Amino acid sequence: MNTILMLSFKIDLTFIQNIKEDHTNSEIPEAIIAVARGLQLDVIAEGVEEEYQKEFLIKNGSYHMQGYLFSKPLSKEEFEKNLVK
């Protein structure tokens, strides 16, 4: 049996929430993304609530995100119902 181990960096929501619309306070997320990319790892950003945060992350090479911009937390049943749609 082969096991595939996928590693990724996760950017805590406190770092994402501190990014301002003019991208000030973005040094830590930029550094995390750069280190992850250098190690060929995916980056997951949590706490994405604003379009400018999403745009910043995409511009810097982080394409995996979660947060209220996309959806409120869902129960398993709600998720499955939305998945069928």
Side-chain angles (χ1 to χ4, degrees), residues 5 7 11 15 17-18 23 25 29-30 35 43-45 48 54 59 63-66 68-70 73 79:
L5 179 63
L7 299 174
I11 304 175
F15 298 118
Q17 290 174 339
N18 285 335
H23 296 172
N25 295 330
E30 286 175 342
V35 168
V43 180
I44 302 167
V48 179
K54 179 181 113 178
K59 178 184 167 204
Y63 305 106
H64 303 287
M65 301 169 218
Q66 62 187 54
Y68 281 101
L69 180 64
F70 308 104
F79 176 78

Side-chain angles (χ1 to χ4, degrees), residues 27-78:
E27 294 83 6
I28 292 175
E30 286 175 342
I32 293 170
I33 294 167
V35 168
R37 291 286 167 234
L39 297 171
Q40 298 179 333
L41 299 174
D42 284 331
V43 180
I44 302 167
E46 63 178 23
V48 179
E49 297 178 354
E50 303 290 341
E51 188 67 31
Y52 66 84
Q53 294 167 330
K54 179 181 113 178
E55 291 170 7
F56 165 83
L57 292 162
I58 291 171
K59 178 184 167 204
N60 285 280
S62 177
Y63 305 106
H64 303 287
M65 301 169 218
Q66 62 187 54
Y68 281 101
L69 180 64
F70 308 104
S71 174
K72 65 179 178 88
L74 301 173
S75 67
K76 177 185 173 198
E77 293 76 24
E78 289 175 306

Side-chain angles (χ1 to χ4, degrees), residues 18-29:
N18 285 335
I19 297 172
K20 304 298 180 216
E21 197 160 359
D22 62 358
H23 296 172
T24 55
N25 295 330
S26 62
E27 294 83 6
I28 292 175

